[in-house]
Amino acid sequence: MRAHLMKRAVLALALAVPGAAIASAVAAPPAHADGCYTWNRTLSRGSSGSDVRELQLRIAGWAGNNNVVELDGQYGPKTAAAVRRFQSAYGLRSDGVAGQQTFAKLYQIQDNDCTPRHFTWNEMDDGCGRGGWTGGPLTTAQTRQNALRTMWKLEALRKGLGDQPLEVTSGFRSRTCNSQVGGASNSQHLYGNAADLVSDNRSLCQIARAARNHGFSGIIGPGVSGHNSHVHVDSRRENNRDNSTNNTYWAAPDCGIAPGYR
């Protein structure tokens, strides 16, 4: 059953501006009852810390064409640009500063288990049935963290496709599962970094083309053997831990995306 039919929408909570005069550049957002994470200060260029990393995780899908937002806790130009794209997509003031309105929108589209509104943990742990996030090369915690970033990228991709539903047909795979389905020995599915996608409302080529703008460094779709019935997207570039190469690879020749590294 599709995630967008399974999950309840999280209601937006109205955030009241305190009456006291406080400079907006340093004002902390009002306290917010959120089951996953709550930001307690405005973030902008030069900010750093775990709260910046939590923001980066959620706006990773707004990195822009052939770019990624590293989860490094440093609010640099790429993070600011991604925040601007997020703000613009949701009709907010697009200034690249993550403050009260930006956080309110994130709370609105975030469920209490930290997943975005339209995707679920169960949906991402379904390579060959529920695997429990074990049996891959990483720890369970690392795999789940990668899967969470993947879901937030998918939420951005869904928004970029006009809020049209996307279905994940394969997410995390254990080594055993990956072998059963004939996956590559170094498949990004093993790391929680990948998802195979279909949609009733958007063509595979529309998905593949849009994915280029939403933080996916791996895109494989129509025209590639074994990928004419779905689009594979992944975050292989972030999985290159020593950052020695830019291994962004896209291939969907039937969609006008020539195979090759970018």
Side-chain angles (χ1 to χ4, degrees):
M1 186 175 180
R2 295 183 187 176
H4 66 280
L5 298 176
M6 294 168 58
K7 299 182 73 171
R8 62 177 178 80
V10 178
L11 296 178
L13 300 181
L15 300 177
V17 178
I22 304 175
S24 60
V26 296
H32 178 89
D34 186 80
C36 175
Y37 188 82
T38 299
W39 286 270
N40 294 309
R41 61 170 177 156
T42 295
L43 302 175
S44 60
R45 290 282 296 271
S47 297
S48 63
S50 60
D51 51 358
V52 174
R53 192 175 189 279
E54 292 287 343
L55 173 66
Q56 291 170 328
L57 175 70
R58 289 158 179 78
I59 52 92
W62 297 101
N65 187 273
N66 196 15
N67 210 343
V68 298
V69 174
E70 291 86 1
L71 307 188
D72 59 6
Q74 303 297 319
Y75 204 117
K78 288 194 289 186
T79 298
V83 169
R84 284 194 297 271
R85 294 185 188 99
F86 172 85
Q87 292 167 330
S88 178
Y90 285 96
L92 307 177
R93 178 183 177 185
S94 181
D95 59 5
V97 175
Q100 179 176 305
Q101 290 187 337
T102 299
F103 297 139
K105 181 55 65 175
L106 286 170
Y107 297 140
Q108 183 184 5
I109 64 175
Q110 172 175 274
D111 280 351
N112 284 341
D113 63 357
C114 301
T115 61
R117 179 192 297 173
H118 298 102
F119 298 91
T120 68
W121 288 114
N122 280 346
E123 185 177 22
M124 283 297 295
D125 183 24
D126 196 22
C128 300
R130 305 291 181 264
W133 307 101
T134 61
L138 303 180
T139 66
T140 297
Q142 289 171 327
T143 303
R144 283 174 60 90
Q145 181 76 355
N146 286 344
L148 184 59
R149 177 181 58 195
T150 300
M151 283 187 275
W152 279 100
K153 288 186 178 185
L154 293 177
E155 186 75 14
L157 175 58
R158 187 187 192 279
K159 182 71 173 176
L161 288 167
D163 279 322
Q164 293 301 316
L166 291 172
E167 180 180 353
V168 177
T169 59
S170 184
F172 166 68
R173 302 174 188 159
S174 66
R175 289 188 178 93
T176 300
C177 169
N178 191 60
S179 178
Q180 288 175 354
V181 301
S185 61
N186 62 345
S187 171
Q188 293 298 312
H189 287 278
L190 294 165
Y191 298 88
N193 272 332
D196 293 344
L197 304 172
V198 297
S199 174
D200 287 340
N201 302 294
R202 291 291 183 263
S203 71
L204 295 181
C205 283
Q206 286 176 313
I207 295 171
R209 294 184 192 114
R212 297 175 296 182
N213 297 313
H214 291 287
F216 291 107
S217 46
I219 305 170
I220 306 176
V224 178
S225 178
H227 293 80
N228 289 315
S229 61
H230 67 275
V231 175
H232 167 98
V233 294
D234 67 51
S235 298
R236 63 185 63 195
R237 183 168 165 185
E238 292 96 316
N239 201 33
N240 177 30
R241 294 183 179 182
D242 64 2
N243 202 28
S244 59
T245 59
N246 176 358
N247 59 344
T248 297
Y249 182 82
W250 296 340
D254 288 356
C255 305
I257 303 175
Y261 288 94
R262 268 70 180 178

